[in-house]
Amino acid sequence: MRVTVHETVAAFDAAAGPLYDADPARHTLAHTALVRLRGRPDLAGLLLTVAHRGETAGALLQEAGRPATVSALPPALAAAAAERAGSTLPAVHGPVPEAEAFAAAYTARTGQRAEVAMRMRLFRLVTLTPPRGVRGVARVAGAADLEVLVSFMTAFTAEAVQALDPPADPRPWLLEALTQGAGYLLWEVDGVPVAVAGARRPIGSMSRVGPVYTPPEERGHGYGTAVTAAATAWARAAGARDVVLLTDLANPVSNEIYPRIGYRPVLDAVELRFTARA
């Protein structure tokens, strides 16, 4: 078994890319991050692969300051990866078995402790069934809607992001996402935006929907469900065969409504934050 910490994104991409490509839905977060790092290698943190008998068998990807993603790191390889992972990772994210195995190995070596930041569920679209009877219409947001998107995303991060501190200003990543071809769908009632859902530009055959946000005063009318269906339709029209989304398991509403429009659960995931022992 050989563990390699890669010095360049290109070298990591060559070794780990086939692992991610084999199941793009499972590795949706890693895929998104890797695409970003191809254009911005300066954002790379830890890029690690584990080879067995000459073949890449596991991978860990981290953008600087962000959680490490271990969706492609089997639990049996967690200890070997943790030995080369340094001691400054802020958190780890992945399917529950993979994330918990890596966190156990990492904290045993570093003396830190791991605490749950968020529990999630990955859903994959089977057959899209848009809701009926929801008042309003969907439209694709453009550059002129930036301040509306900033307002919605600022409120979303303040309410929903429980793990690492989110960026104070969402403008840079919103502009980056729009530049990279992401779609943001606004649901409007009488010309007023009441909900938003984003969808990533397809990577290969896969697109991920999210974030989805409805202001508290507009909830209970089906706007979030309707705009999610609209973003899903946008992703399919953009060429995605697989459309996925992640939900926060602490939010029972989202985990109930997405199956109604055709999504089915694939796996449960967890984000574990590393902190110093008291």
Side-chain angles (χ1 to χ4, degrees), residues 8-218:
T8 68
V9 173
F12 175 81
D13 196 357
L19 281 182
Y20 296 141
D21 290 341
D23 191 346
R26 177 184 180 84
H27 306 303
T28 177
L29 293 182
H31 253 300
T32 302
L34 187 53
V35 168
R36 185 162 44 245
L37 292 180
R38 287 168 184 160
R40 290 288 308 276
D42 58 299
L43 298 178
L46 178 64
L47 304 174
L48 179 154
T49 57
V50 183
H52 180 62
R53 296 180 179 176
E55 299 289 334
T56 302
L60 177 154
L61 180 154
Q62 186 226 359
E63 293 180 83
R66 304 301 301 160
T69 300
V70 294
S71 59
L73 186 69
L77 304 181
E83 284 297 319
R84 297 289 304 278
S87 58
T88 60
L89 291 177
V92 63
H93 175 281
V96 172
E98 286 81 355
E100 289 184 345
F102 179 82
Y106 185 80
T107 55
R109 187 182 64 78
T110 64
Q112 296 174 308
R113 64 189 181 99
E115 59 184 31
V116 175
M118 187 181 296
R119 293 192 181 277
M120 291 150 279
R121 181 161 290 156
L122 178 69
F123 286 82
R124 175 189 279 137
L125 180 71
V126 177
T127 302
L128 180 61
T129 307
R132 296 182 178 182
V134 179
R135 185 167 173 245
V137 295
R139 70 171 177 86
V140 179
D145 300 299
L146 180 61
E147 292 309 310
V148 173
L149 296 176
V150 167
S151 175
F152 278 157
M153 291 303 103
T154 300
F156 170 81
T157 54
E159 182 175 327
V161 176
Q162 305 169 21
L164 304 179
D165 293 335
D169 184 358
R171 285 174 181 82
W173 62 262
L174 277 169
L175 286 170
E176 180 184 20
L178 291 170
T179 299
Q180 291 178 349
Y184 281 85
L185 279 292
L186 293 170
W187 192 264
E188 292 187 334
V189 175
D190 297 331
V192 178
V194 294
V196 64
R200 270 50 172 198
R201 177 178 58 83
I203 301 170
S205 65
M206 182 273 301
S207 174
R208 187 171 75 254
V209 169
V212 177
Y213 182 71
T214 305
E217 65 273 15
E218 302 292 355

Side-chain angles (χ1 to χ4, degrees), residues 209-257:
V209 169
V212 177
Y213 182 71
T214 305
E217 65 273 15
E218 302 292 355
R219 294 173 188 171
H221 304 291
Y223 302 148
T225 307
V227 78
T228 302
T232 303
W234 179 93
R236 294 296 298 268
R241 293 192 301 275
D242 279 333
V243 184
V244 301
L245 56 79
L246 277 165
T247 64
D248 180 353
L249 282 175
N251 184 344
V253 174
S254 63
N255 288 279
E256 291 174 0
I257 66 174

